[in-house]
Amino acid sequence: MTNLFEHLSIASFELEKKNFEWLKKASQTSKKNNLKYNKNLIGHMKEEYEIKDWPKSFELFLMKCTQHDAFKSFLNNFSILSDNKPIYLNNMWVNYQKKHEFNPIHNHNGLFSFIIFIKIPYDLKKEDKYFNLPDKQNNTSRLVFLNSEPDGSILDTNVDVDKSFEGKMFMFLSKQTHMVYPFYTSDGYRITVSGNMRIKV
């Protein structure tokens, strides 16, 4: 994973079991209580719910992740403020993505954002066989980070998200453009939690 993001301000982490178990329950509670969040998001999904409360231990974990080497250059050059200000978790939501649904190209508000993988319902090998495309052209079910090159071309970094990603997280700068392609071979939900972190001023 490190090589995949070598030139990007993106880092991967694994959640502690207690935080992952709490997040799974919080996702279920938000869905049960129908805390609809669609109007605040760009996702082409019918089920997106706000997660309103979180334990301090989870927010501290996120704050620690912002100190990863991948973000040092960004933080060192962040000299807008005259004093150091704390980073905090501003908002968080859960996506229940069904077959054929997707997240179009977008970025987030804030300083840092993250994606946590709760449940991946499909087998990636079956997904890859759905259209029988060459490997370099097969984006089915992928998470993709997009960046422009000096020559104007687009660098698309595809992430082969499969069941092994459950309990793992990507953190990145909020302005990092990304998207999620649809999947086709499962009737289950692809469940992810996302959120944004800001500076408290």
Side-chain angles (χ1 to χ4, degrees):
M1 197 65 67
T2 302
N3 291 335
L4 181 65
F5 300 137
E6 187 174 359
H7 302 297
L8 304 176
S9 295
I10 303 171
S12 60
F13 305 91
E14 187 159 355
L15 272 68
E16 294 181 359
K17 184 177 181 181
K18 65 176 181 179
N19 281 330
F20 186 47
E21 292 302 319
W22 167 79
L23 205 53
K24 287 193 289 186
K25 291 179 181 178
S27 298
Q28 294 169 0
T29 299
S30 293
K31 177 179 169 67
K32 181 179 179 181
N33 292 337
N34 198 34
L35 302 179
K36 298 289 282 186
Y37 206 54
N38 300 67
K39 66 180 181 180
N40 300 293
L41 305 171
I42 197 172
H44 289 220
M45 305 177 206
K46 291 185 177 180
E47 296 190 60
E48 298 173 307
Y49 305 99
E50 183 179 14
I51 297 176
K52 287 189 173 182
D53 300 305
W54 44 81
K56 189 64 178 178
S57 63
F58 179 70
E59 187 168 14
L60 289 173
F61 163 73
L62 294 175
M63 291 171 63
K64 184 177 179 181
C65 292
T66 66
Q67 302 305 307
H68 190 276
D69 286 348
F71 309 125
K72 280 188 176 179
S73 176
F74 170 75
L75 291 173
N76 288 339
N77 293 321
F78 197 76
S79 56
I80 297 174
L81 300 174
S82 58
D83 300 304
N84 289 331
K85 299 294 182 181
I87 297 172
Y88 71 101
L89 177 56
N90 181 65
N91 59 333
M92 188 162 59
W93 63 93
V94 56
N95 295 321
Y96 282 82
Q97 181 184 354
K98 293 180 180 178
K99 181 193 293 185
H100 305 148
E101 295 182 332
F102 64 97
N103 240 325
I105 297 173
H106 68 287
N107 55 24
H108 291 214
N109 294 316
L111 192 64
F112 293 100
S113 298
F114 56 86
I115 302 170
I116 300 171
F117 303 94
I118 305 296
K119 182 70 175 177
I120 304 298
Y122 50 77
D123 183 314
L124 196 58
K125 291 181 179 178
K126 291 181 180 179
E127 287 291 307
D128 286 346
K129 292 178 181 178
Y130 191 81
F131 290 113
N132 287 318
L133 296 172
D135 288 343
K136 292 183 179 180
Q137 298 178 23
N138 199 343
N139 291 321
T140 306
S141 76
R142 263 64 174 186
L143 165 66
V144 182
F145 293 101
L146 302 128
N147 293 274
S148 59
E149 294 282 67
D151 64 1
S153 61
I154 299 296
L155 171 65
D156 56 335
T157 304
N158 285 10
V159 184
D160 298 335
V161 176
D162 60 15
K163 295 179 187 295
S164 70
F165 278 67
E166 294 177 2
K168 297 179 181 178
M169 177 183 81
F170 290 140
M171 181 173 282
F172 46 91
L173 304 184
S174 295
K175 295 306 178 185
Q176 169 66 59
T177 306
H178 57 287
M179 65 180 295
V180 179
Y181 281 93
F183 62 88
Y184 299 88
T185 62
S186 172
D187 292 323
Y189 284 109
R190 179 186 191 267
I191 306 174
T192 57
V193 169
S194 293
N196 300 318
M197 305 185 73
R198 293 179 178 271
I199 289 181
K200 189 178 289 293
V201 293

